């Protein structure tokens, strides 16, 4: 451990650590998001104040606080003192911690965040739901969609979609520019797609994993709670497999 920077055994995080958070659950926050707001930077607080929808503002506040708490747990120090800036294309950077990478994604009140030492990481989360014309939706960004077979089942579509999103985040190229460099594969009889690689990068070896989680139901029409599941994807480079997300309130 380096006492100068507060790093906690960087080699331990070569594979990375990922966390799935339900932003509708206020723990460990206080009512109204005041505890979460306290750990945000001045720029983040200004952005939160610019939301016209109070619910959207609260979701933003809680998501940024959750990101900062994972970074503090990993890097040491406090959540409020983590220096987090936007790099080219909006990619999050940790200027005070060279060699570390962070990525996060939000969907319908869920947050997936991952941090890693020694290489890039990209993540995506989506609430699993029916998608009309799934192959056409994916094909808008991924030209090799026909190679993946039928995508009408949400398991197939969302495994492909989340891996594609996570891969372009890990490569730093963005969906519009980087999706053509991603190779997705699907073995005969497999319900999910898998990551085959990302071309044109410094790393010859990329790995991706998808997981499906049951998440807390939310009231639907008529205020009846509906069961939900989420698909997550984590993509990293190098020989170590991506981390499995831990689920926290």
């Amino acid at each position: 451990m380096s006492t100068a920077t507060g790093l906690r055994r960087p080699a331990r995080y070569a594979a990375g650590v990922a966390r799935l958070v339900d932003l509708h659950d206020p723990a460990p926050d206080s009512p109204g998001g005041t505890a979460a707001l306290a750990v945000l930077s001045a720029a983040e607080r200004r952005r939160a104040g610019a939301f016209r929808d109070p619910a959207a503002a609260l979701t933003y506040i809680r998501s940024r606080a959750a990101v900062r708490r994972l970074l503090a747990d990993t890097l040491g120090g406090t959540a409020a003192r983590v220096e987090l800036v936007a790099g080219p294309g909006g990619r999050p950077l940790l200027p005070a911690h060279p060699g570390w990478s962070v990525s996060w994604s939000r969907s319908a009140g869920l947050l997936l965040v991952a941090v890693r030492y020694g290489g890039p990481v990209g993540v995506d989360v989506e609430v699993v739901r029916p998608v009309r014309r799934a192959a056409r939706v994916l094909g808008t960004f991924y030209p090799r969609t026909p190679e993946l077979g039928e995508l009408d089942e949400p398991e197939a579509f969302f495994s492909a979609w989340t891996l594609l999103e996570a891969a372009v985040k890990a490569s730093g190229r963005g969906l519009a520019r980087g999706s053509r460099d991603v190779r997705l594969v699907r073995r005969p009889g497999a319900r999910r797609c898998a990551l085959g690689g990302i071309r044109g990068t410094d790393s010859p070896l990329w790995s991706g994993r998808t997981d499906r989680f049951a998440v807390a139901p939310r009231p639907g029409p008529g205020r009846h709670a509906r069961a939900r599941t989420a698909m997550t994807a984590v993509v990293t480079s190098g020989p170590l497999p991506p981390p499995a997300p831990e689920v926290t309130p």
Side-chain angles (χ1 to χ4, degrees):
M1 176 174 178
S2 169
T3 56
T5 61
L7 298 182
R8 296 180 177 177
R9 298 185 300 279
R12 173 186 171 189
Y13 295 99
V17 58
R19 185 176 293 174
L20 181 64
V21 183
D22 183 352
L23 298 172
H24 290 297
D25 190 329
D29 194 16
S30 57
T34 54
L37 187 64
V39 306
L40 268 57
S41 68
E44 289 168 336
R45 290 194 294 272
R46 286 194 298 270
R47 182 175 178 184
F51 281 88
R52 294 184 178 182
D53 180 4
L58 184 58
T59 297
Y60 171 80
I61 291 168
R62 286 179 173 165
S63 66
R64 282 304 178 99
V67 169
R68 287 178 163 276
R69 285 166 180 153
L70 176 59
L71 288 170
D73 289 347
T74 306
L75 303 173
T78 64
R81 294 183 65 85
V82 172
E83 186 180 0
L84 186 62
V85 301
R91 189 176 191 176
L93 301 176
L94 298 163
H97 300 280
W100 292 82
S101 301
V102 62
S103 178
W104 65 83
S105 171
R106 288 201 330 241
S107 176
L110 298 173
L111 170 76
L112 178 65
V113 55
V115 61
R116 183 191 179 208
Y117 179 78
V121 61
V123 303
D124 190 51
V125 60
E126 295 285 347
V127 171
V128 176
R129 59 200 183 275
V131 177
R132 294 184 60 188
R133 300 177 178 176
R136 180 177 297 183
V137 173
L138 183 65
T140 302
F141 297 98
Y142 186 66
R144 299 170 69 176
T145 295
E147 299 176 6
L148 302 177
E150 294 293 330
L151 296 174
D152 292 335
E153 287 294 324
E155 189 92 0
F157 171 78
F158 281 107
S159 64
W161 183 265
T162 55
L163 281 170
L164 184 63
E165 287 266 21
V168 298
K169 288 181 180 179
S171 70
R173 295 174 177 174
L175 187 61
R177 187 167 65 94
S179 58
R180 294 178 181 272
D181 296 326
V182 177
R183 184 167 65 91
L184 300 175
V185 296
R186 189 178 181 189
R187 295 188 301 273
R191 296 188 64 193
R192 295 185 191 175
C193 300
L195 180 66
I198 307 175
R199 67 183 181 184
T201 64
D202 294 335
S203 175
L205 181 62
W206 290 89
S207 301
R209 69 171 293 149
T210 55
D211 293 278
R212 189 166 177 173
F213 296 94
V215 295
R218 293 296 163 214
R223 302 192 66 80
H224 294 296
R226 296 180 297 177
R228 303 189 303 164
T229 62
M231 181 76 71
T232 65
V234 184
V235 170
T236 58
S237 65
L240 297 177
E246 59 184 48
V247 182
T248 65

